[in-house]
Amino acid sequence: MAHEIHLKNNKYRQWVKAGLGLGYLKEGLAPFCDDIGRQQHNDIINKIQQTKTPQPNVPCGTCQITTLQPDHVRVSKGICPLNQDKCNCCFPNNKRPCPNNVCGAIYDSIIQYHASIPPVPFWKNSDVQQWSTEPWEVCKCFINAPGYKDKTSAVDTDCTGLLHVIINNNYFHSHIGCNVAGPNNLFSKVRQYRNEIFHSSNMELEESKANCYIDDMIAVLQDGKDLLHRQDAQQAVRKLQDLKKKDFIITTVDFDEILGQINEEMKKVLYSVDDAATKEEYDDLKKKFIEFKTKMSEEKEGEKLENEKELSELKKTIMELESQMVQEKKEKLEMEIEHADLKKKFTVLETLVSEQKEVKQLNDVCHTCICIFALKKIKIIC
């Protein structure tokens, strides 16, 4: 069972709660993103199989993004008909068509589904060789930020990445009630919260601000189109609502969760362009990671001292019981030895009496000895 942690600084407590909220938001969004991503992938593959001549040979594991020739052809030099900047169609000299007749079509579909104008898929996050078989490799092209190449599923992806997929992918928009493409939409607002939380100057938040963050996370998961009717999303909503309760308990497991999130943020910064601003950002995150880990260690040390005190008292009690058992065992052994000795003596006397019972005087002497022996030892054990 995870130990409860008492945080005296309320602003720090609110910061921890906001960080936990991001984790719960991810829990609510991941199954939804996984399901819709698979639906999109199935639709793309089915469409390719129905429209391509010759029929594509799925799967394909040979293409590279730098050398893949799209299915579409440039309008003129440097002009892409799909309005993508620096599209592969604009540099055809070293490009080759997919030998399985599928990857070029998927490339086109990703551009067509991208919601930004002009479309800007982030190809570096994805492995082209898995496009034909792994839906999440296609979804990652809609995460317009580095650091997600090693994420193999929605569950592996943080809430920022999941929100990127929802916001930048038109296929997802048909499953969202609010206008995701509109300015200052709720999903885009919540996407910024991770930066505001983990890149703040200190690890503190006003309670009103933390609750505002959590309320918007709840609103995302209660979007009226699909999410409101998903059990996993509404379970996450209940967890977010519990965060706002005054008696909410923060545990060492929660500390580990926040540490993991900060560590993930540090990894993403390392994937970014290596400039002064990025280095400063990374150093700041590393400092927060160390400070937070220290706080957690201090909390755990406090629990450790309390537990050690209880353990010491328990050991003392056990030692007393063991000592008492040893003493009782010793006394029992002594009694058994004394019993055996008395029984032996009694048997000898009984034999003498039996042999000389004709001689009344001797019998009287033996009887007297037995009585004296009995009085001396208190009792004879037969």
Side-chain angles (χ1 to χ4, degrees):
M1 182 178 291
H3 293 290
E4 177 182 351
I5 292 177
H6 302 280
L7 302 178
K8 296 179 181 179
N9 184 337
N10 185 55
K11 289 183 179 180
Y12 177 64
R13 178 182 174 84
Q14 299 306 318
W15 181 82
V16 173
K17 285 168 56 177
L20 290 174
L22 293 171
Y24 296 152
L25 176 60
K26 169 193 165 176
E27 288 181 18
L29 289 177
F32 165 74
C33 289
D34 186 60
D35 288 347
I36 304 305
R38 290 182 184 280
Q39 290 178 29
Q40 181 181 29
H41 189 264
N42 287 336
D43 286 354
I44 291 173
I45 297 299
N46 289 337
K47 182 179 179 181
I48 293 172
Q49 289 176 333
Q50 292 170 9
T51 59
K52 293 284 288 185
T53 304
Q55 290 294 312
N57 180 19
V58 180
C60 175
T62 61
C63 294
Q64 300 290 338
I65 190 62
T66 55
T67 58
L68 177 63
Q69 178 179 303
D71 272 17
H72 68 273
V73 180
R74 65 182 180 177
V75 176
S76 60
K77 187 175 182 179
I79 304 298
C80 171
L82 301 181
N83 298 316
Q84 189 198 8
D85 187 30
K86 297 180 181 179
C87 179
N88 277 14
C89 75
C90 297
F91 310 93
N93 292 339
N94 65 336
K95 303 301 185 288
R96 297 186 297 272
C98 173
N100 294 281
N101 207 28
V102 62
C103 295
I106 297 177
Y107 182 98
D108 283 14
S109 294
I110 293 171
I111 296 174
Q112 291 165 344
Y113 276 120
H114 206 286
S116 65
I117 302 174
V120 284
F122 202 91
W123 306 116
K124 292 181 180 179
N125 276 330
S126 183
D127 181 1
V128 180
Q129 295 183 3
Q130 299 186 61
W131 278 359
S132 59
T133 57
E134 298 297 330
W136 198 245
E137 290 301 322
V138 172
C139 285
K140 287 193 296 182
C141 295
F142 298 91
I143 304 178
N144 287 10
Y148 294 91
K149 189 173 182 61
D150 63 336
K151 307 306 177 186
T152 58
S153 68
V155 174
D156 290 339
T157 306
D158 61 27
C159 65
T160 304
L162 299 178
L163 289 167
H164 267 277
V165 172
I166 295 170
I167 294 165
N168 295 327
N169 191 337
N170 280 321
Y171 190 93
F172 278 74
H173 292 187
S174 61
H175 296 271
I176 299 295
C178 82
N179 181 14
V180 184
N184 301 319
N185 68 83
L186 183 62
F187 284 75
S188 295
K189 277 178 60 180
V190 173
R191 185 181 64 183
Q192 297 301 319
Y193 290 166
R194 187 181 184 92
N195 286 341
E196 293 178 18
I197 292 169
F198 290 123
H199 295 276
S200 62
S201 58
N202 53 46
M203 294 184 288
E204 293 184 350
L205 271 179
E206 294 290 344
E207 185 172 0
S208 58
K209 187 69 171 178
N211 286 339
C212 180
Y213 286 158
I214 294 169
D215 285 339
D216 283 349
M217 294 175 197
I218 290 172
V220 163
L221 293 174
Q222 290 185 328
D223 181 83
K225 192 69 176 287
D226 282 21
L227 286 165
L228 182 61
H229 308 290
R230 294 186 63 97
Q231 183 177 355
D232 34 37
Q234 298 318 303
Q235 285 177 345
V237 166
R238 288 189 283 274
K239 290 183 179 180
L240 286 164
Q241 290 170 337
D242 287 342
L243 283 177
K244 297 179 64 179
K245 295 179 180 178
K246 297 290 186 183
D247 59 350
F248 178 79
I249 295 174
I250 296 175
T251 68
T252 52
V253 173
D254 297 327
F255 266 66
D256 289 334
E257 168 68 21
I258 302 297
L259 277 174
Q261 292 193 50
I262 297 176
N263 193 40
E264 281 297 310
E265 197 70 14
M266 288 166 63
K267 289 180 182 178
K268 285 195 292 180
V269 171
L270 284 177
Y271 280 112
S272 302
V273 179
D274 187 17
D275 55 22
T278 301
K279 186 178 186 305
E280 182 179 333
E281 187 179 37
Y282 176 79
D283 289 342
D284 178 65
L285 280 169
K286 188 173 182 180
K287 180 182 176 183
K288 286 185 173 64
F289 183 85
I290 293 171
E291 289 178 358
F292 192 77
K293 196 169 185 178
T294 301
K295 286 178 181 289
M296 185 175 72
S297 297
E298 289 172 352
E299 294 285 352
K300 287 184 175 180
E301 187 65 27
E303 293 175 354
K304 181 181 177 182
L305 291 174
E306 183 64 27
N307 291 337
E308 285 181 347
K309 181 180 178 182
E310 294 177 4
L311 183 61
S312 177
E313 292 176 354
L314 180 59
K315 284 182 176 179
K316 183 179 178 181
T317 302
I318 291 173
M319 289 176 67
E320 290 174 353
L321 287 172
E322 288 178 343
S323 176
Q324 184 177 341
M325 289 172 62
V326 169
Q327 182 63 30
E328 289 177 354
K329 188 175 181 180
K330 182 180 178 182
E331 291 176 356
K332 182 180 179 182
L333 181 61
E334 290 175 349
M335 288 180 64
E336 288 176 349
I337 293 172
E338 185 177 9
H339 172 271
D341 183 60
L342 285 172
K343 189 172 182 180
K344 181 179 179 181
K345 290 177 179 178
F346 183 80
T347 302
V348 172
L349 288 172
E350 190 177 44
T351 301
L352 288 173
V353 170
S354 178
E355 290 176 350
Q356 302 181 30
K357 59 184 176 181
E358 294 88 359
V359 184
K360 185 176 182 299
Q361 184 180 2
L362 181 59
N363 186 43
D364 291 338
V365 171
C366 291
H367 179 71
T368 302
C369 291
I370 293 170
C371 291
I372 293 171
F373 185 79
L375 287 173
K376 183 178 180 180
K377 295 294 182 178
I378 301 175
K379 63 179 180 178
I380 296 176
I381 301 175
C382 298

